[in-house]
Amino acid sequence: MKIQRYMTKGIQENLPIQLQFALWELQMNLRATEKDIDYLQVYRLSTIVKDSKTFQVIHHEAEKPKYSAVYCLEAEISVKDKIYIITDNYEDSLVETMLFASEY
């Protein structure tokens, strides 16, 4: 099945490209390992500084089926926000859109 990916202008302009790629990768890996995923994936972003290094923490959640995972990546620029990836199913394709929760 074909997957089309989109992002809002807010994501494109305000989320570092490395983090955009990381979130798409997490979404793709989840889709590859789980048979049925929720149409709404929630990514809560926070920051940890340890030993003068900055880390991006990504808490990934979904309601149905219940899913939760936490990832930690070293990052030059970190973000504190909540991001959604919303999936729309069509006959021949899936359309995924990444947006800040505030844009919903």
Side-chain angles (χ1 to χ4, degrees):
M1 181 173 284
K2 183 177 170 186
I3 299 177
Q4 298 175 37
R5 294 196 170 106
Y6 298 96
M7 65 184 79
T8 62
K9 188 173 183 177
I11 291 286
Q12 189 175 23
E13 292 179 351
N14 299 300
L15 191 67
I17 189 100
Q18 298 86 348
L19 194 48
Q20 292 173 29
F21 283 126
L23 294 177
W24 286 129
E25 183 77 16
L26 292 175
Q27 184 80 4
M28 187 173 64
N29 290 343
L30 178 65
R31 191 169 299 289
T33 59
E34 300 294 326
K35 186 175 183 178
D36 186 33
I37 70 170
D38 197 355
Y39 79 97
L40 176 64
Q41 300 296 312
V42 179
Y43 296 88
R44 297 178 194 277
L45 308 178
S46 59
T47 302
I48 294 176
V49 177
K50 184 174 181 179
D51 299 328
S52 71
K53 292 183 181 179
T54 302
F55 296 90
Q56 179 70 65
V57 178
I58 303 169
H59 188 136
H60 180 186
E61 306 173 316
E63 287 186 8
K64 295 182 182 178
K66 194 76 169 165
Y67 180 83
S68 182
V70 178
Y71 307 93
C72 190
L73 312 168
E74 192 170 346
E76 290 180 24
I77 301 170
S78 63
V79 176
K80 295 178 185 176
D81 217 320
K82 182 166 50 171
I83 294 175
Y84 297 150
I85 295 182
I86 299 173
T87 302
D88 292 305
N89 288 306
Y90 297 100
E91 279 186 32
D92 60 344
S93 66
L94 292 174
V95 176
E96 294 181 329
T97 305
M98 184 185 299
L99 63 152
F100 286 107
S102 60
E103 295 177 300
Y104 187 69

